[in-house]
Amino acid sequence: MKYILVTGGVISGIGKGIIASSVGTILKSCGLHVTAIKIDPYINIDAGTFSPYEHGEVFVLDDGGEVDLDLGNYERFLDICLIKDNNLTTGKIYQSVINKERRGDYLGKTVQVVPHITDAIQDWVMKQAKISVDDDGVEPQVCVIELGGTVGDIESMPFIEAFRQFQFKVKRENFCNIHVSLIPQPSTTGEHKTKPTQNSVRELRGLGLSPDLIMCRCSAALDSSVKEKISMFCHVKPTQVICVHDVSSLYKVPLLLEAQGVVDYLCRRLNLPVEMRAGKMLTKWKEMADRSDRLLEQVSIALVGKYTKLSDSYTSVIKALEHSALAINHKLEVKYIDSADLESTTLQEEPVKYHEAWQKLCSSHGVLVPGGFGVRGTEGKMMAISWARKQNKPFLGVCLGMQLAVCEFARNVVDMPEHNPGQMGGTMRLGKRRTIFGSSSSVLRKLYGDVEYVEERHRHRFEVNPELKNHFEKKGLQFVGQDVEGQRMEIIELKDHCYFVGVQYHPEFTSRPIKPSPPYFGLLLAAAGKLQSYLSRGCLLSQRDTYSDRSSSPDMEVLDLSSPLCNCVTLVVKDPLQ
């Protein structure tokens, strides 16, 4: 097993997750089996209780694990399926050590950070690295480990010490360290400053780890003189200083690393059993990067939610939209709308904000209402849903968005009987679940490849009351997908509408750049006015919307969604009052 530790310096949030994913991608393109582990030094057991404004979205895995959004990057880049133990936190480590102490496993010894906590970290990493993440069940050959935060944080000290010991346990030829650091460029001088990186590397080396590669995050490409200066003061060769400057598309990051010899270096440094060549996988990434730069037509989607001030709150949703937009050869414009701004109270208190929000909504080609929790903004979401339904605008509701679509329909269309809902709460539904299609004419069923069922990830507590199903269907709102017991309403579609779909699950968690999620793909097709022609051609894109003939990979020449795209999807549930 080869271990690649990715650490960060100067500031957090500079792209360690993308770089770790990109390193894994270029190694996987060489035919290696790659897994990934994210270490978060916070004391929380998992990310499930975080506000989206705290750490961005909560990503959900097949086994129901609520984890850091970087694991979503790993799954999308590497096309793998991780489990909750691929996200290691301080809380998990301390919990496992304390449980052992309570059982008497330490035989009365004093339990300390060194060696007990550091040993637990090493054991966890070595055990998790061996678990297969690919469909073929083969044990991984390379494990990319991302350590969250920055070097010097007090929270990450036990992990740094653990890996200082770990490098000797697994031997030098099986372990290397990539250090990601910021190279600021003050506008006053326009000169790249290397001092923060020098200090960061000095601190890292003082803690016992010497970086093998220094990846410099910067706004523009570095001059050779800057690389040589970093090389001189950070004890590495100039070829070990890698420039990761801002690019127009994330698809270009693996190509950027590969072009600077990262694969060649890692193969030599870790004695990797691969040929020195770019594989089929990188060819696909290059094709996607080229396409993203050539897009001319634009499609706009109004994202109506309550966490719109931080785009990371909807990372997977945005990625799913981007994957679908790229597949139909359109440039995506996401219009973020705070759902509360659409409500009448905003009209009275801040009329300018109210009219701006409605202008964004009315000028969009499609409407998306994603998942969420709590009461705030729900009225605004239902107003957006009502507008999309009445104006025949493409609409997709996910989780809460699907539930609110049913509520809006019940308010304005269905003559509902008196009904006492009783206790609305229930046990949280997490992880991959099966949804059975009940209608052969369902649009979403066709988008999935005319399959009988799909398996997607769930994260919800509330659900549609099945006793009211007939009242809705009489008025045209069809429940075309249900769970295996036929009791939970999973998919809704509205008759005589260009595209009005709601799903209880979260399809964005399994969307991939080459395999866009069908519900999102349908939304983008409808927004671009191409859905009906796509369906009439048997779910095949026209030649101008497919990947070019220059691609050396045959499966890239025609993007055929006639095969099931739902590998698996998982959603986690939170208290609705959160």
Side-chain angles (χ1 to χ4, degrees):
M1 175 65 66
K2 308 295 182 179
Y3 301 92
I4 300 174
L5 175 65
V6 180
T7 56
V10 184
I11 62 172
S12 61
I14 55 174
K16 292 192 303 295
I18 297 297
I19 288 175
S21 302
S22 299
V23 169
T25 298
I26 58 179
L27 291 177
K28 188 171 183 177
S29 74
C30 296
L32 296 169
H33 286 80
V34 183
T35 186
I37 295 175
K38 172 65 188 295
I39 296 177
D40 288 302
Y42 46 67
I43 300 177
N44 303 63
I45 299 297
D46 59 30
T49 56
F50 284 147
S51 161
Y53 284 137
E54 191 77 20
H55 283 272
E57 78 168 3
V58 176
F59 190 81
V60 184
L61 302 170
D62 273 356
D63 62 356
E66 298 170 283
V67 296
D68 186 85
L69 60 82
D70 276 322
L71 274 79
N73 288 325
Y74 304 156
E75 287 201 344
R76 284 186 289 269
F77 272 67
L78 297 169
D79 196 16
I80 56 178
C81 188
L82 302 174
I83 62 175
K84 59 186 176 182
D85 285 345
N86 286 88
N87 190 194
L88 177 57
T89 69
T90 297
K92 285 183 180 179
I93 286 294
Y94 273 81
Q95 186 179 59
S96 66
V97 170
I98 290 171
N99 288 340
K100 286 183 179 179
E101 186 274 332
R102 291 289 85 188
R103 292 196 304 265
D105 292 1
Y106 296 116
L107 302 177
K109 292 183 179 180
T110 302
V111 180
Q112 298 173 290
V113 174
V114 180
H116 301 101
I117 295 296
T118 53
D119 284 351
I121 294 169
Q122 296 173 63
D123 292 343
W124 189 300
V125 169
M126 294 183 73
K127 178 182 177 182
Q128 196 59 36
K130 296 178 180 179
I131 296 178
S132 175
V133 293
D134 293 302
D135 294 336
D136 56 15
V138 175
E139 182 177 310
Q141 298 163 284
V142 179
C143 179
V144 180
I145 308 160
E146 179 193 349
L147 177 58
T150 57
V151 171
D153 292 345
I154 191 169
E155 298 94 344
S156 62
M157 287 300 182
F159 295 99
I160 295 289
E161 171 59 22
F163 285 109
R164 184 195 68 78
Q165 301 170 19
F166 189 71
Q167 62 185 333
F168 302 111
K169 177 183 289 188
V170 300
K171 299 183 180 179
R172 185 177 186 277
E173 64 269 19
N174 298 320
F175 178 89
C176 76
N177 174 212
I178 296 175
H179 189 61
V180 183
S181 185
L182 177 69
I183 306 292
Q185 189 176 16
S187 58
T188 52
T189 62
E191 179 185 6
H192 286 112
K193 297 296 184 181
T194 64
K195 188 63 70 176
T197 294
Q198 295 177 38
N199 292 337
S200 177
V201 172
R202 186 183 302 116
E203 184 163 13
L204 182 62
R205 296 184 66 202
L207 295 171
L209 288 173
S210 295
D212 296 282
L213 290 173
I214 299 176
M215 297 206 175
C216 303
R217 282 289 292 114
C218 45
S219 56
L222 299 177
D223 294 333
S224 57
S225 60
V226 178
K227 287 188 175 184
E228 289 171 0
K229 187 174 183 180
I230 294 172
S231 166
M232 182 188 306
F233 288 100
C234 296
H235 200 63
V236 293
K237 296 179 180 178
T239 54
Q240 294 170 256
V241 180
I242 309 299
C243 171
V244 188
H245 56 79
D246 294 347
V247 289
S248 58
S249 169
L250 290 181
Y251 301 128
K252 294 185 177 181
V253 179
L255 305 173
L256 192 64
L257 301 186
E258 199 271 339
Q260 296 180 70
V262 171
V263 172
D264 294 352
Y265 176 81
L266 292 176
C267 288
R268 292 194 305 270
R269 173 69 176 76
L270 297 174
N271 297 322
L272 294 174
V274 299
E275 300 177 15
M276 301 295 186
R277 60 179 178 81
K280 176 181 176 181
M281 189 173 176
L282 266 194
T283 305
K284 295 180 180 181
W285 280 85
K286 187 176 188 308
E287 179 69 23
M288 287 189 296
D290 291 343
R291 286 195 73 193
S292 65
D293 285 341
R294 298 196 306 264
L295 301 178
L296 298 177
E297 296 181 84
Q298 183 169 291
V299 61
S300 61
I301 300 296
L303 192 157
V304 183
K306 62 184 292 188
Y307 311 118
T308 53
K309 293 179 182 177
L310 180 66
S311 60
D312 274 358
S313 301
Y314 298 110
T315 296
S316 293
V317 170
I318 301 303
K319 296 303 177 188
L321 290 171
E322 289 177 351
H323 300 161
S324 297
L326 187 62
I328 64 171
N329 211 28
H330 276 60
K331 185 180 295 183
L332 175 68
E333 179 190 10
V334 178
K335 297 184 178 182
Y336 294 94
I337 301 174
D338 189 326
S339 55
D341 292 345
L342 299 172
E343 298 174 2
S344 56
T345 52
T346 305
L347 174 60
Q348 298 171 2
E349 298 170 2
E350 298 179 85
V352 174
K353 183 181 289 188
Y354 172 85
H355 289 295
E356 287 177 347
W358 275 101
Q359 193 278 331
K360 283 184 182 179
L361 180 65
C362 295
S363 61
S364 299
H365 298 122
V367 180
L368 169 65
V369 178
F373 299 98
V375 177
R376 184 180 70 82
T378 53
E379 290 296 328
K381 292 176 183 178
M382 280 192 278
M383 294 174 80
I385 293 168
S386 179
W387 179 86
R389 178 177 60 81
K390 294 174 181 177
Q391 298 297 321
N392 198 32
K393 283 284 185 180
F395 165 78
L396 174 63
V398 175
C399 197
L400 177 63
M402 177 261 206
Q403 296 169 359
L404 292 179
V406 175
C407 293
E408 186 278 328
F409 197 81
R411 282 185 180 184
N412 300 311
V413 180
V414 179
D415 182 17
M416 294 300 296
E418 290 296 325
H419 177 73
N420 178 13
Q423 179 62 40
M424 297 179 68
T427 304
M428 289 185 183
R429 241 179 134 224
L430 303 174
K432 183 171 67 173
R433 308 279 179 157
R434 180 169 294 186
T435 296
I436 310 294
F437 282 107
S439 169
S440 59
S441 61
S442 163
V443 172
L444 201 53
R445 176 172 179 164
K446 294 176 182 176
L447 289 170
Y448 271 108
D450 200 26
V451 295
E452 294 183 357
Y453 65 86
V454 296
E455 291 182 329
E456 297 276 12
R457 300 175 183 176
H458 291 67
R459 185 189 189 215
H460 65 101
R461 180 186 297 275
F462 295 117
E463 55 200 34
V464 176
N465 190 331
E467 295 178 10
L468 307 178
K469 176 174 176 283
N470 291 336
H471 296 282
F472 289 102
E473 293 193 332
K474 286 178 182 178
K475 296 292 185 178
L477 189 66
Q478 304 296 310
F479 293 90
V480 299
Q482 301 175 28
D483 71 342
V484 291
E485 288 85 19
Q487 293 300 307
R488 294 185 173 92
M489 304 299 108
E490 294 281 351
I491 304 172
I492 62 168
E493 291 181 11
L494 183 62
K495 280 186 175 180
D496 302 321
H497 194 283
C498 66
Y499 189 80
F500 192 97
V501 173
V503 292
Q504 183 61 74
Y505 49 83
H506 289 251
E508 64 269 17
F509 288 148
T510 50
S511 181
R512 301 289 183 264
I514 309 296
K515 296 176 289 186
S517 164
Y520 286 90
F521 187 61
L523 175 66
L524 267 294
L525 282 170
K530 299 182 178 183
L531 179 59
Q532 293 307 315
S533 60
Y534 174 79
L535 295 175
S536 65
R537 282 195 298 269
C539 294
L540 287 174
L541 289 167
S542 63
Q543 186 62 37
R544 67 181 298 272
D545 288 329
T546 59
Y547 290 86
S548 71
D549 295 331
R550 292 183 292 105
S551 172
S552 61
S553 50
D555 59 334
M556 289 294 294
E557 294 178 5
V558 175
L559 182 59
D560 182 355
L561 296 189
S562 58
S563 58
L565 294 183
C566 53
N567 298 336
C568 35
V569 189
T570 314
L571 279 225
V572 186
V573 181
K574 279 288 156 288
D575 189 291
L577 297 180
Q578 176 185 342

Short mmCIF file of all heavy atoms in Angstrom, two decimals, residues 37 52 54 76 100 134-135 149-150 185 210 319 365 389 425 430 434 483 487 572:
data_model
loop_
_atom_site.label_atom_id
_atom_site.label_comp_id
_atom_site.label_asym_id
_atom_site.label_seq_id
_atom_site.Cartn_x
_atom_site.Cartn_y
_atom_site.Cartn_z
N ILE A 37 -9.06 9.13 2.01
CA ILE A 37 -9.49 9.35 3.40
C ILE A 37 -9.41 10.83 3.69
O ILE A 37 -8.43 11.48 3.35
CB ILE A 37 -8.61 8.56 4.39
CG1 ILE A 37 -8.78 7.05 4.19
CG2 ILE A 37 -8.96 8.94 5.84
CD1 ILE A 37 -7.85 6.21 5.05
N PRO A 52 -25.07 24.33 7.22
CA PRO A 52 -24.39 24.48 5.93
C PRO A 52 -23.48 25.69 5.87
O PRO A 52 -22.52 25.71 5.10
CB PRO A 52 -25.56 24.61 4.94
CG PRO A 52 -26.69 23.91 5.61
CD PRO A 52 -26.53 24.20 7.07
N GLU A 54 -21.54 26.53 8.21
CA GLU A 54 -20.36 26.24 9.01
C GLU A 54 -19.26 25.58 8.18
O GLU A 54 -18.11 26.00 8.19
CB GLU A 54 -20.76 25.33 10.17
CG GLU A 54 -19.69 25.16 11.23
CD GLU A 54 -19.57 26.35 12.15
OE1 GLU A 54 -20.52 27.15 12.23
OE2 GLU A 54 -18.51 26.50 12.78
N ARG A 76 -16.70 12.02 -7.02
CA ARG A 76 -16.94 12.54 -8.38
C ARG A 76 -15.70 12.43 -9.25
O ARG A 76 -15.78 12.03 -10.42
CB ARG A 76 -17.41 14.00 -8.30
CG ARG A 76 -18.86 14.17 -7.88
CD ARG A 76 -19.29 15.61 -7.98
NE ARG A 76 -18.68 16.46 -6.97
CZ ARG A 76 -19.22 16.70 -5.78
NH1 ARG A 76 -20.37 16.16 -5.44
NH2 ARG A 76 -18.60 17.49 -4.92
N LYS A 100 -12.38 1.69 24.30
CA LYS A 100 -11.41 0.64 24.62
C LYS A 100 -10.97 0.74 26.08
O LYS A 100 -10.82 -0.27 26.78
CB LYS A 100 -10.18 0.76 23.71
CG LYS A 100 -10.41 0.31 22.28
CD LYS A 100 -9.12 0.41 21.48
CE LYS A 100 -9.31 -0.06 20.05
NZ LYS A 100 -8.06 0.05 19.26
N ASP A 134 -14.08 0.31 -5.36
CA ASP A 134 -14.47 0.13 -6.75
C ASP A 134 -15.46 -1.02 -6.89
O ASP A 134 -15.56 -1.88 -6.01
CB ASP A 134 -13.24 -0.14 -7.64
CG ASP A 134 -12.32 1.07 -7.73
OD1 ASP A 134 -12.81 2.13 -8.17
OD2 ASP A 134 -11.14 0.95 -7.36
N ASP A 135 -16.16 -1.06 -8.00
CA ASP A 135 -17.15 -2.10 -8.24
C ASP A 135 -16.53 -3.49 -8.34
O ASP A 135 -17.18 -4.49 -8.07
CB ASP A 135 -17.94 -1.80 -9.52
CG ASP A 135 -18.79 -0.55 -9.40
OD1 ASP A 135 -19.14 -0.20 -8.26
OD2 ASP A 135 -19.11 0.06 -10.44
N GLY A 149 -7.67 21.51 7.69
CA GLY A 149 -7.06 22.61 8.44
C GLY A 149 -5.69 22.97 7.91
O GLY A 149 -5.33 22.63 6.77
N THR A 150 -4.91 23.66 8.73
CA THR A 150 -3.56 24.07 8.34
C THR A 150 -2.54 23.59 9.36
O THR A 150 -2.86 23.40 10.53
CB THR A 150 -3.46 25.60 8.20
OG1 THR A 150 -3.85 26.21 9.44
CG2 THR A 150 -4.37 26.12 7.12
N GLN A 185 -0.28 37.24 -3.92
CA GLN A 185 0.22 38.22 -4.90
C GLN A 185 -0.44 39.56 -4.60
O GLN A 185 -1.48 39.89 -5.18
CB GLN A 185 -0.08 37.76 -6.32
CG GLN A 185 0.60 38.59 -7.40
CD GLN A 185 0.32 38.03 -8.79
OE1 GLN A 185 -0.58 37.23 -8.99
NE2 GLN A 185 1.13 38.45 -9.77
N SER A 210 8.65 16.15 6.16
CA SER A 210 9.28 16.93 5.10
C SER A 210 8.51 16.72 3.80
O SER A 210 8.38 15.58 3.33
CB SER A 210 10.74 16.50 4.89
OG SER A 210 11.51 16.81 6.04
N LYS A 319 -22.67 20.87 -8.82
CA LYS A 319 -21.91 19.95 -9.65
C LYS A 319 -22.82 19.11 -10.54
O LYS A 319 -22.52 18.87 -11.72
CB LYS A 319 -21.04 19.03 -8.78
CG LYS A 319 -19.97 19.74 -7.99
CD LYS A 319 -19.04 20.52 -8.88
CE LYS A 319 -18.00 21.29 -8.08
NZ LYS A 319 -17.21 22.21 -8.93
N HIS A 365 -34.48 29.90 -17.06
CA HIS A 365 -35.03 28.88 -17.96
C HIS A 365 -35.61 27.70 -17.19
O HIS A 365 -36.36 26.91 -17.76
CB HIS A 365 -33.94 28.38 -18.91
CG HIS A 365 -33.38 29.44 -19.80
ND1 HIS A 365 -32.04 29.76 -19.83
CD2 HIS A 365 -33.99 30.27 -20.68
CE1 HIS A 365 -31.84 30.74 -20.71
NE2 HIS A 365 -33.01 31.06 -21.23
N ARG A 389 -45.12 25.94 -11.96
CA ARG A 389 -46.23 25.08 -12.39
C ARG A 389 -47.18 25.82 -13.33
O ARG A 389 -47.57 25.31 -14.37
CB ARG A 389 -46.99 24.58 -11.15
CG ARG A 389 -48.19 23.71 -11.47
CD ARG A 389 -48.87 23.19 -10.21
NE ARG A 389 -49.35 24.27 -9.36
CZ ARG A 389 -50.49 24.93 -9.53
NH1 ARG A 389 -51.29 24.63 -10.57
NH2 ARG A 389 -50.86 25.89 -8.71
N GLY A 425 -43.43 13.44 12.58
CA GLY A 425 -42.04 13.02 12.67
C GLY A 425 -41.91 11.52 12.54
O GLY A 425 -42.87 10.76 12.68
N LEU A 430 -31.82 7.15 6.14
CA LEU A 430 -30.48 7.48 5.65
C LEU A 430 -29.97 6.38 4.73
O LEU A 430 -30.25 5.22 4.91
CB LEU A 430 -29.51 7.61 6.83
CG LEU A 430 -29.87 8.62 7.92
CD1 LEU A 430 -28.88 8.50 9.07
CD2 LEU A 430 -29.86 10.01 7.35
N ARG A 434 -34.13 1.70 -2.38
CA ARG A 434 -34.67 1.36 -3.70
C ARG A 434 -36.01 2.06 -3.93
O ARG A 434 -36.86 2.10 -3.05
CB ARG A 434 -34.84 -0.15 -3.84
CG ARG A 434 -35.39 -0.60 -5.18
CD ARG A 434 -35.27 -2.10 -5.36
NE ARG A 434 -33.87 -2.52 -5.44
CZ ARG A 434 -33.47 -3.75 -5.71
NH1 ARG A 434 -34.39 -4.71 -5.93
NH2 ARG A 434 -32.19 -4.06 -5.77
N ASP A 483 -41.47 3.42 -2.66
CA ASP A 483 -40.50 2.50 -2.09
C ASP A 483 -40.97 1.06 -2.29
O ASP A 483 -42.06 0.81 -2.84
CB ASP A 483 -40.26 2.81 -0.61
CG ASP A 483 -41.46 2.44 0.27
OD1 ASP A 483 -42.56 2.27 -0.27
OD2 ASP A 483 -41.28 2.32 1.49
N GLN A 487 -45.37 2.31 0.31
CA GLN A 487 -45.92 3.21 1.31
C GLN A 487 -45.31 4.61 1.27
O GLN A 487 -45.93 5.58 1.69
CB GLN A 487 -45.71 2.62 2.72
CG GLN A 487 -46.51 1.36 2.97
CD GLN A 487 -48.01 1.60 2.84
OE1 GLN A 487 -48.57 2.51 3.46
NE2 GLN A 487 -48.66 0.79 2.01
N VAL A 572 -29.18 11.76 4.27
CA VAL A 572 -29.27 11.67 5.72
C VAL A 572 -30.34 12.59 6.23
O VAL A 572 -30.58 13.61 5.65
CB VAL A 572 -27.95 12.09 6.33
CG1 VAL A 572 -27.98 11.85 7.79
CG2 VAL A 572 -26.87 11.31 5.66
#
